[in-house]
Every structure is written in structure tokens, then in C-alpha cells.
Amino acid sequence: YKLTLTWADPNSLDSDDNDIHLQLVPDYHDGTQCEDETDYLEYTDEYCGAFLSADDYAYDPNLGEESATLTTLADGTNYKSYTYAVIAYMTDDPYNLSEGGPHPRIGVQWRAQAKPSPFLSTNCGVPT
């Protein structure tokens, strides 16, 4: 599986880029923490049956895109052994996740075909 977070720069009139980060929090199905170097995976990490792409940002007119590939890694860990929380977040950015458009979207790809993802919430806005 490949999870892809895609987003835009909501304000093409300023000089600020829009930097959103994709993270995964892997745990075993019994709730115990995945044995890695941190509590979560972020850009370029490769642990617990997943590897993440490089950091990216959106700067009008280019979209930003980060992805996580769930697979069997060289260390033998397999994505099927884990449950993942998927997080999209921003720090030190002039924008709010609910600003501009289109809003950030998370897509799922399986065997090179995009699939609807009823188990993912794609509401990347600010919690109410």
C-alpha cells in the first residue's frame, strides 16, 4: 500500500511555502509499541513495515506531496503486523490546515490503483 498526502499553497500572493508533514505511529495489533528509534515515523524513516518519502512543501503553483509505503522491509518487518495512526501536521507555518484550498488530501494506492479509503479520515482541518 502507498499512502500519499497532497496539498497546495493556499496563498499564491505571498512568499511563504506551505509545509505539511506526514507521520505514521506504528503499533502491533495488541497495542504494544513498534520497536524503533522513535514513537513515530516521519520523512525518510524506514521501520516497522513502512518507509516514508523525503520532506516536501507546496509553493504555488507546485503541490506538496509526501508518502508512506507499507510493505515488507529488508529487516523483515511487514506492514501486516502493525496498525498505523496517520498524522498530517504543521509547525512554524503561517497557514492553518483549514485555510485555503484544496484542503490536504490523503489517498491510498494498492497494486498501482487508487482505491477509496473508508478507514481513513481525510478531514485535515482543525479539531472543533
Side-chain angles (χ1 to χ4, degrees), residues 63-126:
L63 294 177
E65 181 177 291
E66 292 184 16
S67 64
T69 301
L70 308 180
T71 188
T72 301
L73 300 178
D75 66 4
T77 57
N78 184 307
Y79 75 95
K80 293 178 183 179
S81 300
Y82 304 96
T83 300
Y84 300 91
V86 179
I87 300 171
Y89 82 99
M90 307 170 76
T91 59
D92 301 325
D93 202 284
Y95 306 120
N96 182 304
L97 283 173
S98 65
E99 284 185 297
H103 294 295
R105 299 201 187 329
I106 294 179
V108 177
Q109 183 177 342
W110 180 65
R111 294 188 179 168
Q113 294 183 357
K115 299 287 183 184
S117 178
F119 59 89
L120 284 178
S121 170
T122 56
N123 178 7
C124 294
V126 177

Side-chain angles (χ1 to χ4, degrees), residues 2 4 6 9 11 14 21-24 29 39 45 52 54 65 72 74 78 89 96 98 105 107 113 117-118 123-124:
K2 183 175 184 179
T4 304
T6 307
D9 179 0
N11 185 350
D14 66 13
H21 302 281
L22 175 65
Q23 289 184 335
L24 296 183
H29 296 296
D39 292 338
D45 281 346
L52 277 75
E65 181 177 291
T72 301
N78 184 307
Y89 82 99
N96 182 304
S98 65
R105 299 201 187 329
Q113 294 183 357
S117 178
N123 178 7
C124 294

